[in-house]
PDB file of all heavy atoms in Angstrom:
ATOM      1  N   LEU A 158     114.098   8.291  84.976  1.00 89.00           N
ATOM      2  CA  LEU A 158     113.845   7.059  85.781  1.00 89.00           C
ATOM      3  C   LEU A 158     114.219   7.219  87.267  1.00 89.00           C
ATOM      4  O   LEU A 158     113.712   6.527  88.074  1.00 89.00           O
ATOM      5  CB  LEU A 158     114.673   5.905  85.206  1.00 89.00           C
ATOM      6  CG  LEU A 158     114.275   5.416  83.842  1.00 89.00           C
ATOM      7  CD1 LEU A 158     115.252   4.361  83.339  1.00 89.00           C
ATOM      8  CD2 LEU A 158     112.860   4.811  83.923  1.00 89.00           C
ATOM      9  N   TYR A 169     114.547  -0.502  89.384  1.00 88.00           N
ATOM     10  CA  TYR A 169     113.226  -0.079  88.897  1.00 88.00           C
ATOM     11  C   TYR A 169     112.284  -1.265  88.642  1.00 88.00           C
ATOM     12  O   TYR A 169     111.145  -1.269  89.059  1.00 88.00           O
ATOM     13  CB  TYR A 169     113.400   0.749  87.630  1.00 88.00           C
ATOM     14  CG  TYR A 169     112.128   1.455  87.173  1.00 88.00           C
ATOM     15  CD1 TYR A 169     111.814   2.709  87.650  1.00 88.00           C
ATOM     16  CD2 TYR A 169     111.268   0.869  86.246  1.00 88.00           C
ATOM     17  CE1 TYR A 169     110.692   3.369  87.247  1.00 88.00           C
ATOM     18  CE2 TYR A 169     110.115   1.483  85.837  1.00 88.00           C
ATOM     19  CZ  TYR A 169     109.832   2.758  86.339  1.00 88.00           C
ATOM     20  OH  TYR A 169     108.704   3.439  85.925  1.00 88.00           O
ATOM     21  N   ARG A 170     112.768  -2.230  87.926  1.00 90.00           N
ATOM     22  CA  ARG A 170     111.910  -3.416  87.626  1.00 90.00           C
ATOM     23  C   ARG A 170     112.496  -4.719  88.159  1.00 90.00           C
ATOM     24  O   ARG A 170     112.018  -5.809  87.878  1.00 90.00           O
ATOM     25  CB  ARG A 170     111.716  -3.534  86.085  1.00 90.00           C
ATOM     26  CG  ARG A 170     113.012  -3.820  85.375  1.00 90.00           C
ATOM     27  CD  ARG A 170     112.849  -3.621  83.871  1.00 90.00           C
ATOM     28  NE  ARG A 170     114.156  -3.535  83.281  1.00 90.00           N
ATOM     29  CZ  ARG A 170     114.846  -4.623  82.829  1.00 90.00           C
ATOM     30  NH1 ARG A 170     114.355  -5.803  82.874  1.00 90.00           N
ATOM     31  NH2 ARG A 170     116.033  -4.439  82.330  1.00 90.00           N
ATOM     32  N   LYS A 488     116.656  -5.053  77.735  1.00 92.00           N
ATOM     33  CA  LYS A 488     115.429  -5.648  78.234  1.00 92.00           C
ATOM     34  C   LYS A 488     115.718  -6.914  79.050  1.00 92.00           C
ATOM     35  O   LYS A 488     115.042  -7.261  80.033  1.00 92.00           O
ATOM     36  CB  LYS A 488     114.632  -5.977  76.993  1.00 92.00           C
ATOM     37  CG  LYS A 488     113.252  -6.495  77.266  1.00 92.00           C
ATOM     38  CD  LYS A 488     112.532  -6.718  75.920  1.00 92.00           C
ATOM     39  CE  LYS A 488     111.148  -7.269  76.263  1.00 92.00           C
ATOM     40  NZ  LYS A 488     110.216  -7.176  75.196  1.00 92.00           N
ATOM     41  N   LYS A 559     108.911 -11.973  84.563  1.00 90.00           N
ATOM     42  CA  LYS A 559     108.162 -10.756  84.948  1.00 90.00           C
ATOM     43  C   LYS A 559     109.017  -9.488  84.771  1.00 90.00           C
ATOM     44  O   LYS A 559     108.583  -8.463  84.321  1.00 90.00           O
ATOM     45  CB  LYS A 559     107.739 -10.863  86.368  1.00 90.00           C
ATOM     46  CG  LYS A 559     106.235 -11.046  86.558  1.00 90.00           C
ATOM     47  CD  LYS A 559     105.879 -10.785  88.024  1.00 90.00           C
ATOM     48  CE  LYS A 559     104.672 -11.576  88.369  1.00 90.00           C
ATOM     49  NZ  LYS A 559     104.643 -11.963  89.778  1.00 90.00           N
ATOM     50  N   GLU A 560     110.274  -9.616  85.174  1.00 91.00           N
ATOM     51  CA  GLU A 560     111.167  -8.473  85.123  1.00 91.00           C
ATOM     52  C   GLU A 560     111.395  -8.016  83.671  1.00 91.00           C
ATOM     53  O   GLU A 560     111.493  -6.837  83.356  1.00 91.00           O
ATOM     54  CB  GLU A 560     112.536  -8.814  85.775  1.00 91.00           C
ATOM     55  CG  GLU A 560     112.461  -8.858  87.282  1.00 91.00           C
ATOM     56  CD  GLU A 560     113.626  -9.547  87.927  1.00 91.00           C
ATOM     57  OE1 GLU A 560     114.553 -10.022  87.228  1.00 91.00           O
ATOM     58  OE2 GLU A 560     113.653  -9.617  89.185  1.00 91.00           O
ATOM     59  N   ILE A 561     111.540  -9.015  82.776  1.00 91.00           N
ATOM     60  CA  ILE A 561     111.756  -8.712  81.385  1.00 91.00           C
ATOM     61  C   ILE A 561     110.503  -8.054  80.831  1.00 91.00           C
ATOM     62  O   ILE A 561     110.588  -7.095  80.090  1.00 91.00           O
ATOM     63  CB  ILE A 561     112.124 -10.027  80.620  1.00 91.00           C
ATOM     64  CG1 ILE A 561     113.500 -10.469  81.050  1.00 91.00           C
ATOM     65  CG2 ILE A 561     112.038  -9.783  79.113  1.00 91.00           C
ATOM     66  CD1 ILE A 561     113.880 -11.842  80.588  1.00 91.00           C
ATOM     67  N   GLU A 562     109.356  -8.543  81.233  1.00 89.00           N
ATOM     68  CA  GLU A 562     108.104  -7.958  80.769  1.00 89.00           C
ATOM     69  C   GLU A 562     107.942  -6.500  81.219  1.00 89.00           C
ATOM     70  O   GLU A 562     107.452  -5.643  80.520  1.00 89.00           O
ATOM     71  CB  GLU A 562     106.923  -8.787  81.364  1.00 89.00           C
ATOM     72  CG  GLU A 562     105.655  -8.669  80.550  1.00 89.00           C
ATOM     73  CD  GLU A 562     104.597  -9.559  81.206  1.00 89.00           C
ATOM     74  OE1 GLU A 562     104.856 -10.769  81.333  1.00 89.00           O
ATOM     75  OE2 GLU A 562     103.609  -9.004  81.658  1.00 89.00           O
ATOM     76  N   ALA A 563     108.413  -6.223  82.461  1.00 88.00           N
ATOM     77  CA  ALA A 563     108.271  -4.904  83.009  1.00 88.00           C
ATOM     78  C   ALA A 563     109.130  -3.884  82.320  1.00 88.00           C
ATOM     79  O   ALA A 563     109.006  -2.671  82.544  1.00 88.00           O
ATOM     80  CB  ALA A 563     108.611  -4.919  84.506  1.00 88.00           C
ATOM     81  N   PHE A 564     110.021  -4.342  81.469  1.00 90.00           N
ATOM     82  CA  PHE A 564     110.889  -3.402  80.757  1.00 90.00           C
ATOM     83  C   PHE A 564     110.114  -2.401  79.892  1.00 90.00           C
ATOM     84  O   PHE A 564     110.461  -1.234  79.728  1.00 90.00           O
ATOM     85  CB  PHE A 564     111.894  -4.148  79.897  1.00 90.00           C
ATOM     86  CG  PHE A 564     112.912  -3.263  79.192  1.00 90.00           C
ATOM     87  CD1 PHE A 564     113.982  -2.774  79.915  1.00 90.00           C
ATOM     88  CD2 PHE A 564     112.762  -2.929  77.866  1.00 90.00           C
ATOM     89  CE1 PHE A 564     114.896  -1.903  79.247  1.00 90.00           C
ATOM     90  CE2 PHE A 564     113.683  -2.102  77.219  1.00 90.00           C
ATOM     91  CZ  PHE A 564     114.752  -1.616  77.934  1.00 90.00           C
ATOM     92  N   GLU A 565     108.997  -2.915  79.331  1.00 86.00           N
ATOM     93  CA  GLU A 565     108.198  -2.078  78.413  1.00 86.00           C
ATOM     94  C   GLU A 565     107.842  -0.758  79.041  1.00 86.00           C
ATOM     95  O   GLU A 565     108.028   0.310  78.478  1.00 86.00           O
ATOM     96  CB  GLU A 565     106.908  -2.834  78.040  1.00 86.00           C
ATOM     97  CG  GLU A 565     107.155  -3.909  76.971  1.00 86.00           C
ATOM     98  CD  GLU A 565     107.675  -3.402  75.649  1.00 86.00           C
ATOM     99  OE1 GLU A 565     106.904  -2.619  75.029  1.00 86.00           O
ATOM    100  OE2 GLU A 565     108.791  -3.721  75.271  1.00 86.00           O
ATOM    101  N   ASP A 566     107.216  -0.798  80.232  1.00 86.00           N
ATOM    102  CA  ASP A 566     106.750   0.394  80.916  1.00 86.00           C
ATOM    103  C   ASP A 566     107.935   1.320  81.237  1.00 86.00           C
ATOM    104  O   ASP A 566     107.905   2.497  81.070  1.00 86.00           O
ATOM    105  CB  ASP A 566     105.995   0.065  82.197  1.00 86.00           C
ATOM    106  CG  ASP A 566     104.603  -0.377  81.883  1.00 86.00           C
ATOM    107  OD1 ASP A 566     104.223  -0.426  80.680  1.00 86.00           O
ATOM    108  OD2 ASP A 566     103.832  -0.659  82.825  1.00 86.00           O
ATOM    109  N   GLN A 567     108.990   0.676  81.725  1.00 89.00           N
ATOM    110  CA  GLN A 567     110.201   1.447  82.063  1.00 89.00           C
ATOM    111  C   GLN A 567     110.734   2.141  80.838  1.00 89.00           C
ATOM    112  O   GLN A 567     111.155   3.283  80.890  1.00 89.00           O
ATOM    113  CB  GLN A 567     111.263   0.487  82.629  1.00 89.00           C
ATOM    114  CG  GLN A 567     112.531   1.236  83.068  1.00 89.00           C
ATOM    115  CD  GLN A 567     113.722   0.281  83.197  1.00 89.00           C
ATOM    116  OE1 GLN A 567     113.597  -0.885  83.403  1.00 89.00           O
ATOM    117  NE2 GLN A 567     114.909   0.862  83.012  1.00 89.00           N
ATOM    118  N   TYR A 568     110.664   1.424  79.742  1.00 88.00           N
ATOM    119  CA  TYR A 568     111.208   1.968  78.469  1.00 88.00           C
ATOM    120  C   TYR A 568     110.442   3.185  78.069  1.00 88.00           C
ATOM    121  O   TYR A 568     111.039   4.228  77.665  1.00 88.00           O
ATOM    122  CB  TYR A 568     111.115   0.850  77.442  1.00 88.00           C
ATOM    123  CG  TYR A 568     111.621   1.204  76.051  1.00 88.00           C
ATOM    124  CD1 TYR A 568     112.989   1.403  75.879  1.00 88.00           C
ATOM    125  CD2 TYR A 568     110.774   1.318  74.983  1.00 88.00           C
ATOM    126  CE1 TYR A 568     113.459   1.689  74.609  1.00 88.00           C
ATOM    127  CE2 TYR A 568     111.231   1.607  73.719  1.00 88.00           C
ATOM    128  CZ  TYR A 568     112.580   1.809  73.543  1.00 88.00           C
ATOM    129  OH  TYR A 568     113.053   2.113  72.281  1.00 88.00           O
ATOM    130  N   VAL A 569     109.152   3.130  78.170  1.00 88.00           N
ATOM    131  CA  VAL A 569     108.296   4.309  77.771  1.00 88.00           C
ATOM    132  C   VAL A 569     108.616   5.489  78.683  1.00 88.00           C
ATOM    133  O   VAL A 569     108.770   6.616  78.253  1.00 88.00           O
ATOM    134  CB  VAL A 569     106.825   3.918  77.822  1.00 88.00           C
ATOM    135  CG1 VAL A 569     105.969   5.144  77.542  1.00 88.00           C
ATOM    136  CG2 VAL A 569     106.521   2.807  76.799  1.00 88.00           C
ATOM    137  N   ARG A 570     108.695   5.178  79.977  1.00 88.00           N
ATOM    138  CA  ARG A 570     109.010   6.257  80.900  1.00 88.00           C
ATOM    139  C   ARG A 570     110.394   6.853  80.620  1.00 88.00           C
ATOM    140  O   ARG A 570     110.575   8.107  80.677  1.00 88.00           O
ATOM    141  CB  ARG A 570     108.918   5.751  82.378  1.00 88.00           C
ATOM    142  CG  ARG A 570     109.369   6.787  83.336  1.00 88.00           C
ATOM    143  CD  ARG A 570     108.913   6.517  84.751  1.00 88.00           C
ATOM    144  NE  ARG A 570     109.845   7.165  85.653  1.00 88.00           N
ATOM    145  CZ  ARG A 570     109.731   7.027  87.000  1.00 88.00           C
ATOM    146  NH1 ARG A 570     108.757   6.307  87.501  1.00 88.00           N
ATOM    147  NH2 ARG A 570     110.579   7.665  87.803  1.00 88.00           N
ATOM    148  N   ALA A 571     111.350   5.994  80.372  1.00 88.00           N
ATOM    149  CA  ALA A 571     112.729   6.480  80.115  1.00 88.00           C
ATOM    150  C   ALA A 571     112.732   7.384  78.928  1.00 88.00           C
ATOM    151  O   ALA A 571     113.430   8.411  78.878  1.00 88.00           O
ATOM    152  CB  ALA A 571     113.677   5.293  79.901  1.00 88.00           C
ATOM    153  N   GLN A 572     111.961   7.035  77.911  1.00 88.00           N
ATOM    154  CA  GLN A 572     111.959   7.793  76.620  1.00 88.00           C
ATOM    155  C   GLN A 572     111.170   9.070  76.739  1.00 88.00           C
ATOM    156  O   GLN A 572     111.553  10.102  76.178  1.00 88.00           O
ATOM    157  CB  GLN A 572     111.346   6.957  75.531  1.00 88.00           C
ATOM    158  CG  GLN A 572     112.246   5.771  75.100  1.00 88.00           C
ATOM    159  CD  GLN A 572     113.486   6.215  74.317  1.00 88.00           C
ATOM    160  OE1 GLN A 572     113.650   7.388  74.044  1.00 88.00           O
ATOM    161  NE2 GLN A 572     114.364   5.236  74.039  1.00 88.00           N
ATOM    162  N   THR A 573     110.027   9.029  77.442  1.00 86.00           N
ATOM    163  CA  THR A 573     109.155  10.209  77.415  1.00 86.00           C
ATOM    164  C   THR A 573     109.185  11.053  78.726  1.00 86.00           C
ATOM    165  O   THR A 573     108.780  12.178  78.716  1.00 86.00           O
ATOM    166  CB  THR A 573     107.682   9.782  77.235  1.00 86.00           C
ATOM    167  OG1 THR A 573     107.325   8.931  78.304  1.00 86.00           O
ATOM    168  CG2 THR A 573     107.496   9.038  75.915  1.00 86.00           C
TER     169      THR A 573
ATOM    170  N   THR B  10      99.755   1.627  83.915  1.00 76.00           N
ATOM    171  CA  THR B  10     100.268   0.906  82.767  1.00 76.00           C
ATOM    172  C   THR B  10      99.473   1.239  81.498  1.00 76.00           C
ATOM    173  O   THR B  10      99.968   1.198  80.400  1.00 76.00           O
ATOM    174  CB  THR B  10     100.211  -0.596  83.064  1.00 76.00           C
ATOM    175  OG1 THR B  10     100.899  -0.802  84.298  1.00 76.00           O
ATOM    176  CG2 THR B  10     100.856  -1.422  81.967  1.00 76.00           C
ATOM    177  N   TYR B  13     100.965   4.090  79.653  1.00 85.00           N
ATOM    178  CA  TYR B  13     102.175   3.653  78.966  1.00 85.00           C
ATOM    179  C   TYR B  13     101.822   2.864  77.737  1.00 85.00           C
ATOM    180  O   TYR B  13     102.487   2.952  76.730  1.00 85.00           O
ATOM    181  CB  TYR B  13     103.013   2.796  79.909  1.00 85.00           C
ATOM    182  CG  TYR B  13     103.766   3.655  80.972  1.00 85.00           C
ATOM    183  CD1 TYR B  13     103.821   3.219  82.278  1.00 85.00           C
ATOM    184  CD2 TYR B  13     104.395   4.829  80.603  1.00 85.00           C
ATOM    185  CE1 TYR B  13     104.494   3.991  83.260  1.00 85.00           C
ATOM    186  CE2 TYR B  13     105.025   5.600  81.563  1.00 85.00           C
ATOM    187  CZ  TYR B  13     105.106   5.180  82.865  1.00 85.00           C
ATOM    188  OH  TYR B  13     105.733   5.910  83.801  1.00 85.00           O
ATOM    189  N   GLU B  14     100.809   2.003  77.846  1.00 84.00           N
ATOM    190  CA  GLU B  14     100.340   1.188  76.749  1.00 84.00           C
ATOM    191  C   GLU B  14      99.939   2.072  75.544  1.00 84.00           C
ATOM    192  O   GLU B  14     100.300   1.834  74.405  1.00 84.00           O
ATOM    193  CB  GLU B  14      99.167   0.342  77.225  1.00 84.00           C
ATOM    194  CG  GLU B  14      98.652  -0.667  76.217  1.00 84.00           C
ATOM    195  CD  GLU B  14      99.354  -1.995  76.400  1.00 84.00           C
ATOM    196  OE1 GLU B  14      99.672  -2.352  77.572  1.00 84.00           O
ATOM    197  OE2 GLU B  14      99.590  -2.683  75.387  1.00 84.00           O
ATOM    198  N   ILE B  16     100.828   5.178  75.006  1.00 86.00           N
ATOM    199  CA  ILE B  16     102.024   5.869  74.466  1.00 86.00           C
ATOM    200  C   ILE B  16     102.754   4.887  73.517  1.00 86.00           C
ATOM    201  O   ILE B  16     103.124   5.230  72.410  1.00 86.00           O
ATOM    202  CB  ILE B  16     102.951   6.313  75.549  1.00 86.00           C
ATOM    203  CG1 ILE B  16     102.287   7.385  76.438  1.00 86.00           C
ATOM    204  CG2 ILE B  16     104.227   6.848  75.011  1.00 86.00           C
ATOM    205  CD1 ILE B  16     103.141   7.877  77.588  1.00 86.00           C
ATOM    206  N   ARG B  17     102.880   3.668  74.015  1.00 84.00           N
ATOM    207  CA  ARG B  17     103.621   2.666  73.266  1.00 84.00           C
ATOM    208  C   ARG B  17     103.006   2.388  71.914  1.00 84.00           C
ATOM    209  O   ARG B  17     103.693   2.142  70.960  1.00 84.00           O
ATOM    210  CB  ARG B  17     103.620   1.346  74.111  1.00 84.00           C
ATOM    211  CG  ARG B  17     104.541   0.277  73.598  1.00 84.00           C
ATOM    212  CD  ARG B  17     105.951   0.528  74.145  1.00 84.00           C
ATOM    213  NE  ARG B  17     106.873  -0.474  73.666  1.00 84.00           N
ATOM    214  CZ  ARG B  17     107.439  -0.410  72.451  1.00 84.00           C
ATOM    215  NH1 ARG B  17     107.198   0.597  71.688  1.00 84.00           N
ATOM    216  NH2 ARG B  17     108.282  -1.379  72.079  1.00 84.00           N
ATOM    217  N   ASN B  18     101.675   2.452  71.870  1.00 83.00           N
ATOM    218  CA  ASN B  18     100.957   2.105  70.653  1.00 83.00           C
ATOM    219  C   ASN B  18     100.905   3.302  69.644  1.00 83.00           C
ATOM    220  O   ASN B  18     100.467   3.135  68.539  1.00 83.00           O
ATOM    221  CB  ASN B  18      99.565   1.595  70.941  1.00 83.00           C
ATOM    222  CG  ASN B  18      99.651   0.268  71.598  1.00 83.00           C
ATOM    223  OD1 ASN B  18     100.627  -0.493  71.416  1.00 83.00           O
ATOM    224  ND2 ASN B  18      98.638  -0.055  72.398  1.00 83.00           N
ATOM    225  N   PHE B  22     105.529   7.532  68.812  1.00 88.00           N
ATOM    226  CA  PHE B  22     106.478   7.133  69.845  1.00 88.00           C
ATOM    227  C   PHE B  22     107.672   6.379  69.189  1.00 88.00           C
ATOM    228  O   PHE B  22     108.826   6.687  69.466  1.00 88.00           O
ATOM    229  CB  PHE B  22     105.825   6.213  70.883  1.00 88.00           C
ATOM    230  CG  PHE B  22     106.768   5.683  71.902  1.00 88.00           C
ATOM    231  CD1 PHE B  22     107.261   6.517  72.939  1.00 88.00           C
ATOM    232  CD2 PHE B  22     107.205   4.341  71.862  1.00 88.00           C
ATOM    233  CE1 PHE B  22     108.160   6.016  73.855  1.00 88.00           C
ATOM    234  CE2 PHE B  22     108.088   3.882  72.841  1.00 88.00           C
ATOM    235  CZ  PHE B  22     108.538   4.698  73.825  1.00 88.00           C
ATOM    236  N   ASP B  23     107.334   5.499  68.313  1.00 88.00           N
ATOM    237  CA  ASP B  23     108.432   4.742  67.611  1.00 88.00           C
ATOM    238  C   ASP B  23     109.257   5.717  66.785  1.00 88.00           C
ATOM    239  O   ASP B  23     110.492   5.568  66.715  1.00 88.00           O
ATOM    240  CB  ASP B  23     107.826   3.672  66.697  1.00 88.00           C
ATOM    241  CG  ASP B  23     107.242   2.531  67.515  1.00 88.00           C
ATOM    242  OD1 ASP B  23     107.766   2.300  68.636  1.00 88.00           O
ATOM    243  OD2 ASP B  23     106.207   1.953  67.094  1.00 88.00           O
TER     244      ASP B  23
END
Side-chain angles (χ1 to χ4, degrees):
Chain A
L158 292 174
Y169 190 88
R170 64 191 164 90
K488 187 177 177 162
K559 249 193 208 149
E560 286 166 359
I561 290 169
E562 201 179 302
F564 183 78
E565 284 296 298
D566 282 1
Q567 181 200 334
Y568 181 69
V569 175
R570 173 162 155 183
Q572 290 288 355
T573 59
Chain B
T10 306
Y13 285 137
E14 186 91 34
I16 294 178
R17 189 84 182 84
N18 291 334
F22 177 74
D23 291 327

